[in-house]
Amino acid sequence: MSLLQPPEAVRGMTKLDKEAFRLTVDLPVIEIEASDVGSVTRRVRLESFLIGHKLRPLKNTMDSEKEGKKYLVFNPEKVEQDTLREKIGALIKREIDDGQPINWTTLSKELTFDNWDTKSIFKAILPVGIEYSSYTQTGHIIHCNFADEVLPFRHIIAEVLLNKVKNCKTVVQKGNIITNVYRNLDLELLAGEENYETEIKESGLRFKMDFSKVYWNSRLSHEHERVAGLFNNQSIVYDACCGIGPFVLPATLKKKPRRVMANDLNPESVKWLKVNVALNKIKDDKIEIHNMDAKQFIKENIANDVIRLMKEESGSEDFDENKLESEIHVVMNLPAYAVNFLPAFRGALKNFETELKEINKKWKWNVYCYLFAKSQVDVPDEWYEEEARRMCDEKTKWDKSLVVNCHNVRTVSSRKEMFCVQLEVPYEYLLAEPLPEEPEVPFEPEEVEEPSCKKMKMDN
Ligand SMILES: C[S@@+](CC[C@H](N)C(=O)[O-])C[C@H]1O[C@@H](n2cnc3c(N)ncnc32)[C@H](O)[C@@H]1O
């Protein structure tokens, strides 16, 4: 048992009692002139022996009761051996050399709940062999995902987090399985206010949301940035499952695309997207927003919009050879389902055959289809990418694969990888006979994340 752990009496605690965390510890110290602290700590490499920052506000140097003197405060576990203490004393003396001996003494300090960090508290509370350290924070909300053995301790864990984590006002448990179409999580309030309206920053932009009603995952921030980085000021950007705007808002502000249209089936996502457009001072007319099924959005809104824009350009008099060529980008980040939207591209322009004949420059179509590649058994890493390609090919049903790139976004859990598959959709496909409507594919319940006991995961 470590000397610097909360008292053993807190083990098994299920209701937070801060008083039970009081503990007096004897800390080894060396008293030196305050004016010598700077040179000693600079020139003698003491960091690994000093108390460090674990027991904040305890610090490596503290005021002594004697005027003009300071203590160097050591970690008792790191300076147990007398020979080591002698060595440290000699090194310090070499720096000071005022003729005075270097003495090791003891400083008694009472540690309270405030001194211990969450990791030490959880380790002290939970039965030996059970660990908890993984949680995610979105604005003022902390969401936890518990392994079965930790569940009986969820309320005290929540109380500890509420008390210890900066800006945390609400702690919820999120369900392990997403079953609903809008991909928001089932939340159970564990501690703090029942207030799910929060605000976070991503890529320098502000995002407000009702966390209980929309989808948000800060682990996707790199992916949001990566995709926005593919656009330029001539891009035509369509986000078919836009959520509260993490692709379209940074893209609009940073890349200034020629056209942006965003859509989501969840009216709450659309409501918060509009709030976020205003919050980030983006003019209303920069993003056209829709609230419908992605398939319908592709077949009607995107198809009509592309034809209108290409016709406009074909009829335009001004030609600038330095201008970048426009490309169409359709983002579909609904990994549990988006492959089922791919058939909507087949024949999407069939009704515009006549118009297309008059259009001299046809823009390239890039589709970014997110999906999960899952295996029931252990497979080599390459299998997941092959599976991702196969899943898209199976849905597009074309004589050659439309897949041009497969980007691994993240590992969701063991044997489950998230990909962004990029497809280049040719005009022959867009003008082909549409596939017969397939029966609606039901949403599969989706496992959110394996509850992890190892890593601390922080959003903000
Ligand atoms: C995984 S979330 C991604 C949201 C956002 N793109 C992001 O990266 O945070 C998927 C989104 O698809 C929306 N959605 C679900 N079914 C849909 C459908 N049939 N058509 C359009 N959007 C849909 C959900 O409401 C949700 O906002």
Side-chain angles (χ1 to χ4, degrees):
M1 179 74 189
S2 157
L3 293 171
L4 296 179
Q5 286 297 315
E8 186 55 29
V10 302
R11 187 155 322 276
M13 183 184 271
T14 49
K15 193 162 177 7
L16 183 59
D17 171 12
K18 289 190 190 176
E19 284 304 306
F21 285 83
R22 282 187 190 278
L23 177 72
T24 304
V25 289
D26 289 334
L27 301 169
V29 294
I30 292 177
E31 193 182 48
I32 59 174
E33 292 293 332
S35 54
D36 288 329
V37 168
S39 63
V40 168
T41 49
R42 245 191 338 269
R43 297 168 69 163
V44 187
R45 306 192 66 182
L46 292 174
E47 301 85 50
S48 53
F49 303 108
L50 293 168
I51 191 78
H53 305 291
K54 249 188 107 187
L55 296 170
R56 249 183 272 254
L58 279 194
K59 287 195 286 204
N60 288 341
T61 55
M62 288 171 59
D63 288 337
S64 148
E65 312 75 53
K66 292 190 207 134
E67 185 135 5
K69 300 264 188 186
K70 284 225 180 232
Y71 289 126
L72 295 173
V73 185
F74 290 84
N75 182 331
E77 289 167 354
K78 301 282 173 66
V79 292
E80 266 173 335
Q81 292 168 6
D82 289 342
T83 47
L84 181 65
R85 289 193 185 206
E86 274 166 32
K87 256 190 202 163
I88 292 174
L91 287 170
I92 293 175
K93 186 160 168 49
R94 212 171 61 187
E95 290 308 319
I96 298 176
D97 200 20
D98 58 358
Q100 301 295 315
I102 296 290
N103 290 326
W104 284 88
T105 50
T106 303
L107 182 69
S108 269
K109 275 277 162 198
E110 183 178 62
L111 300 179
T112 67
F113 179 78
D114 294 336
N115 290 103
W116 309 111
D117 63 10
T118 46
K119 211 171 157 200
S120 310
I121 294 176
F122 295 149
K123 199 167 171 207
I125 289 173
L126 294 174
V128 177
I130 298 184
E131 281 179 36
Y132 180 79
S133 61
S134 165
Y135 63 88
T136 314
Q137 188 171 6
T138 303
H140 72 271
I141 304 165
I142 281 187
H143 28 120
C144 306
N145 192 6
F146 299 107
D148 288 348
E149 68 270 22
V150 189
L151 272 175
F153 300 92
R154 64 190 185 283
H155 287 105
I156 185 161
I157 288 173
E159 283 291 330
V160 171
L161 292 170
L162 188 67
N163 276 274
K164 299 294 283 187
V165 180
K166 205 170 150 217
N167 299 334
C168 169
K169 293 196 187 120
T170 303
V171 184
V172 294
Q173 177 181 359
K174 52 184 187 186
N176 280 346
I177 309 279
I178 299 183
T179 47
N180 81 44
V181 172
Y182 299 151
R183 308 280 97 187
N184 54 316
L185 300 159
D186 289 333
L187 306 179
E188 181 197 338
L189 181 70
L190 293 178
E193 306 168 2
E194 193 168 14
N195 169 17
Y196 300 128
E197 285 191 13
T198 195
E199 182 177 330
I200 54 125
K201 267 200 164 171
E202 186 177 282
S203 306
L205 274 80
R206 296 170 66 189
F207 290 91
K208 270 195 179 177
M209 71 192 90
D210 182 330
F211 188 69
S212 65
K213 295 188 178 144
V214 301
Y215 176 90
W216 181 264
N217 187 346
S218 295
R219 285 180 194 141
L220 292 178
S221 62
H222 291 298
E223 182 59 13
H224 295 145
E225 271 181 32
R226 184 187 74 87
V227 171
L230 301 172
F231 308 147
N232 59 45
N233 65 359
Q234 292 307 306
S235 298
I236 315 285
V237 178
Y238 301 115
D239 189 346
C241 313
C242 64
I244 63 166
F247 285 111
V248 287
L249 296 187
T252 307
L253 269 178
K254 294 179 183 172
K255 297 292 172 161
K256 309 214 174 333
R258 185 168 167 181
R259 172 85 169 133
V260 182
M261 229 157 85
N263 170 68
D264 200 284
L265 188 65
N266 181 357
E268 282 287 325
S269 301
V270 167
K271 172 183 137 183
W272 289 101
L273 172 62
K274 288 179 181 166
V275 168
N276 293 327
V277 166
L279 199 62
N280 290 288
K281 303 191 171 47
I282 297 173
K283 286 203 192 113
D284 282 355
D285 62 355
K286 292 279 176 216
I287 305 181
E288 191 178 306
I289 299 174
H290 294 272
N291 178 205
M292 60 175 74
D293 176 66
K295 266 190 174 175
Q296 187 193 353
F297 180 67
I298 294 164
K299 287 188 200 169
E300 294 171 16
N301 302 61
I302 297 184
N304 275 303
D305 204 56
V306 169
I307 295 294
R308 180 183 64 78
L309 290 167
M310 288 202 301
K311 267 166 86 177
E312 260 173 37
E313 179 147 298
S314 278
S316 153
E317 305 268 285
D318 37 295
F319 172 73
D320 177 359
E321 62 176 331
N322 295 320
K323 206 170 82 174
L324 287 162
E325 181 121 332
S326 281
E327 285 193 19
I328 296 154
H329 302 273
V330 186
V331 182
M332 309 193 300
N333 178 19
L334 176 55
Y337 199 82
V339 279
N340 298 299
F341 300 145
L342 288 174
F345 289 93
R346 184 166 160 152
L349 299 186
K350 187 130 188 74
N351 293 340
F352 300 100
E353 254 168 314
T354 327
E355 278 100 329
L356 271 170
K357 283 193 187 117
E358 287 153 26
I359 293 169
N360 47 24
K361 190 90 208 146
K362 296 183 185 68
W363 301 327
K364 189 172 138 194
W365 285 65
N366 305 289
V367 174
Y368 307 87
C369 179
Y370 287 80
L371 55 82
F372 295 126
K374 290 178 277 182
S375 171
Q376 299 298 326
V377 291
D378 286 339
V379 284
D381 287 352
E382 314 81 74
W383 181 89
Y384 291 98
E385 181 172 330
E386 283 161 21
E387 172 66 1
R389 289 172 183 269
R390 191 202 58 76
M391 286 166 73
C392 291
D393 294 344
E394 184 188 64
K395 288 291 171 184
T396 48
K397 291 195 174 68
W398 197 236
D399 53 7
K400 63 176 197 267
S401 176
L402 307 186
V403 176
V404 289
N405 186 30
C406 232
H407 171 79
N408 186 301
V409 179
R410 66 190 197 104
T411 300
V412 181
S413 54
S414 58
R415 302 186 193 147
K416 183 172 177 184
E417 299 289 322
M418 177 174 170
F419 283 92
C420 170
V421 182
Q422 185 180 342
L423 300 96
E424 206 177 297
V425 184
Y427 277 83
E428 300 83 70
Y429 190 82
L430 295 159
L431 288 165
E433 203 54 50
L435 292 167
E437 274 294 324
E438 278 185 11
E440 209 47 50
V441 182
F443 252 103
E444 261 182 58
E446 180 198 328
E447 185 195 315
V448 186
E449 216 69 58
E450 265 179 2
S452 152
C453 299
K454 298 278 178 293
K455 282 180 265 159
M456 184 80 85
K457 289 178 178 146
M458 294 282 294
D459 272 11
N460 282 315

